[in-house]
Amino acid sequence: IATSYLSKTALAFTPSGFNNVRSTTALNAKVGIYYSTQTGNTETVAGYISAAAGLEIADIGDASDDEVAGLDSIIVGAPTWHTDEESERSGTEWDSWLYSTLPNIDVSG
């Protein structure tokens, strides 16, 4: 039983040629998947989630303020390590987006 469950779970996150790209969920929520990466690993995982969820992905550096503000939810793909800096630790576009862009976006709904 456990093997069957794990197999189904793993399949949910593997690219399968699922081309039914959409920008809303069954709950009619507008969702975006944003990532930024130095090595490509985060982009790869964002691609797996995108394929499983049927949503498009974009690098956060390419996202417009209006695009993000118009969403109900975002799925974030960010590196889990940092550069030993006091701030802006990931060395990716998330640094400038989190510190400079996000504070200026009205996400009140």
Side-chain angles (χ1 to χ4, degrees):
I1 295 173
T3 303
S4 174
Y5 173 76
L6 291 175
S7 296
K8 291 177 185 176
T9 302
L11 288 175
F13 294 100
T14 58
S16 61
F18 185 78
N19 294 323
N20 187 17
V21 175
R22 60 183 187 251
S23 62
T24 60
T25 66
L27 299 175
N28 244 358
K30 294 180 184 176
V31 179
I33 301 175
Y34 296 96
Y35 71 92
S36 196
T37 187
Q38 282 190 352
T39 63
N41 291 334
T42 306
E43 182 178 7
T44 298
V45 173
Y48 294 157
I49 295 168
S50 169
L55 298 168
E56 293 185 33
I57 63 170
D59 189 301
I60 193 62
D62 297 332
S64 73
D65 295 0
D66 290 338
E67 178 184 335
V68 174
L71 297 171
D72 298 309
S73 299
I74 63 172
I75 299 170
V76 173
T80 57
W81 57 276
H82 64 79
T83 60
D84 293 328
E85 298 294 326
E86 291 297 319
S87 65
E88 301 183 9
R89 299 177 184 174
S90 77
T92 68
E93 287 297 318
W94 279 116
D95 296 335
S96 60
W97 194 84
L98 289 170
Y99 289 97
S100 302
T101 305
L102 181 58
N104 299 310
I105 297 177
D106 179 10
V107 292
S108 62

